[in-house]
Amino acid sequence: MCMPTMCRLSTCAITMYAADHLPPHFHVRMRDGREALIIIETLTVFSGSLAARELAEALDWARDNRELLRTKWRELNP
């Protein structure tokens, strides 16, 4: 299954799977392997248990790149 990395930040990577389940979301994967799934439209945690401080950088990036996330979701999940 395809999992492109959309962005590498200082503490995590933002990825997205092809043929993934709804709702449209992206994965925030920490360097130690822990992750959270974030809903694109609301930028709320769908699954996972990362602390708010751990997600802050990823959510800031996502706010600035929400249209890119929407476009990539549609591309990977037609």
Side-chain angles (χ1 to χ4, degrees):
M1 186 179 296
C2 178
M3 182 187 71
T5 298
M6 304 199 49
C7 181
R8 290 193 192 280
L9 302 169
S10 65
T11 61
C12 64
I14 295 176
T15 61
M16 196 175 285
Y17 287 94
D20 209 351
H21 59 86
L22 293 173
H25 64 280
F26 60 94
H27 297 243
V28 175
R29 186 177 306 273
M30 304 304 288
R31 290 183 178 185
D32 64 7
R34 294 175 301 129
E35 73 176 316
L37 280 63
I38 309 296
I39 297 171
I40 294 169
E41 289 308 313
T42 60
L43 297 182
T44 56
V45 176
F46 176 68
S47 175
S49 58
L50 298 178
R53 63 179 168 69
E54 293 178 296
L55 289 170
E57 184 180 26
L59 293 178
D60 285 344
W61 181 89
R63 271 186 212 91
D64 293 339
N65 293 279
R66 197 172 301 186
E67 193 52 42
L68 172 67
L69 290 164
R70 288 181 189 119
T71 300
K72 185 55 90 171
W73 176 269
R74 287 190 300 268
E75 178 185 313
L76 294 171
N77 299 277

